[in-house]
Amino acid sequence: QVQLVESGGDLVQPGGSLRLSCAASGIMFDRYTMGWHRQAPGNQRELVATITRAGNANYADSVKGRFTISRDNAKNTVYLQMDSLKPDDTAVYYCSAQFNRVYWGQGTQVNVSS
C-alpha cells in the first residue's frame, strides 16, 4: 500500500519560511521522481518543483530562487524549503511520486498572511 504523508504546513507571515516534508512508504523511493504541487481555492493544481532520482531539480518560475526541493533516499522523504513566502503562496501543497504511475498525498495547508 503506497502512502505519501505530507507535514509542515502552517500559518506564516509574509517574508517567513516553512519546510514541508513528505514521507513515502510502499514504493522503491529512490526510483521515483518526487514532486510538490499546490492548489489555491478556485485554481487548478499547479507544479511547484520536482526532483529526479539523480537529484536534478526543476522549479516553477513563480518560486525560483525562493523554494528549494531536496530528498533523503535513506529516509524515503522529500522536502520543500520555502523562503520569502508571499500571500500568493497560500495553497494546499501536495506531494507526488512518479515512476510508472503517479501517486499523490492528501496535502498540507500553507497560509501566508499577516
Side-chain angles (χ1 to χ4, degrees), residues 35-112:
W36 287 97
H37 298 69
R38 68 186 181 187
Q39 187 167 17
N43 290 356
Q44 291 188 334
R45 191 173 297 190
E46 63 176 2
L47 175 69
V48 175
T50 60
I51 185 165
T52 67
R53 57 189 296 185
N56 297 313
N58 285 288
Y59 299 92
D61 287 344
S62 58
V63 306
K64 279 181 182 176
R66 301 188 298 122
F67 291 10
T68 303
I69 189 170
S70 62
R71 64 191 295 160
D72 186 336
N73 289 342
K75 295 183 178 180
N76 287 3
T77 301
V78 61
Y79 305 97
L80 186 68
Q81 177 66 41
M82 305 187 295
D83 299 317
S84 302
L85 281 160
K86 306 174 182 180
D88 284 351
D89 295 318
T90 294
V92 178
Y93 283 71
Y94 296 92
C95 174
S96 67
Q98 180 174 4
F99 182 53
N100 53 348
R101 56 162 289 181
V102 181
Y103 297 99
W104 294 94
Q106 62 267 59
T108 185
Q109 179 71 49
V110 172
N111 288 308
V112 184

